[in-house]
Amino acid sequence: MFGFNIDKRTLYIIIGVLVVISLMSYGTSGIFSLILSIPAVLLAITVHEFGHAFAAYKLGDDTPVRQGRLSLNPFDHVDPLGLAMLLFAHIGWGKPVEIDPRNYKADAIVSFAGPLMNFITAIIFSLIYCAIIKFAGIAFTLTNVGTIVIAIILSIVTMNIGLGVFNLLPLPPLD
């Protein structure tokens, strides 16, 4: 593409160096926020790609099953470069689920399944947040553990809504 080839290992080393340089400029609170956002990013990407795979499978395409992508395992759906970009540049990607549209006639359903899974996940974690506030009380949220739990839950809700809305934009290669 650019007249030179970079193998994956070299690319990951370059990304690692950029991550370290980026982390050095974050400060303590920035690093804490970054660490708390990792579960949200992993969950959002995983449910999004699983939604595509599940919808395609239910509509008759066995490609995701044959490729081992009909899974909620984050390692099956996370692209390391896309994850790093999402964490540090706030725009990234997961490993796209390969589908064969010749096996079904409902591309729109498969495309919408990813954002739908993100919205469902956001609703579920919003309900968990409400349950924590109602049953554990405000006092729990003021503890160290409570602060971390609430921050992760809010990060999950925000990340899933953001990813779901972003993928509804009518721009290729988005959903």
Side-chain angles (χ1 to χ4, degrees), residues 23 26-39 143-152 155:
L23 283 174
Y26 268 35
T28 306
S29 65
I31 291 173
F32 184 70
S33 294
L34 177 70
I35 290 170
L36 291 179
S37 69
I38 290 172
T143 65
N144 288 338
V145 172
T147 302
I148 291 170
V149 168
I150 294 300
I152 290 173
S155 182

Side-chain angles (χ1 to χ4, degrees), residues 23-99:
L23 283 174
M24 291 169 54
S25 68
Y26 268 35
T28 306
S29 65
I31 291 173
F32 184 70
S33 294
L34 177 70
I35 290 170
L36 291 179
S37 69
I38 290 172
V41 170
L42 290 175
L43 182 64
I45 290 172
T46 300
V47 299
H48 183 91
E49 296 303 333
F50 173 78
H52 293 307
F54 185 75
Y57 174 71
K58 285 299 186 181
L59 290 170
D61 185 7
D62 66 342
T63 308
V65 173
R66 285 186 284 114
Q67 295 178 340
R69 302 296 305 283
L70 191 61
S71 163
L72 286 172
N73 181 352
F75 295 112
D76 292 338
H77 300 291
V78 171
D79 179 286
L81 179 59
L83 176 65
M85 292 294 294
L86 194 54
L87 289 171
F88 296 102
H90 303 291
I91 185 165
W93 56 90
K95 198 182 314 176
V97 171
E98 292 182 28
I99 55 173

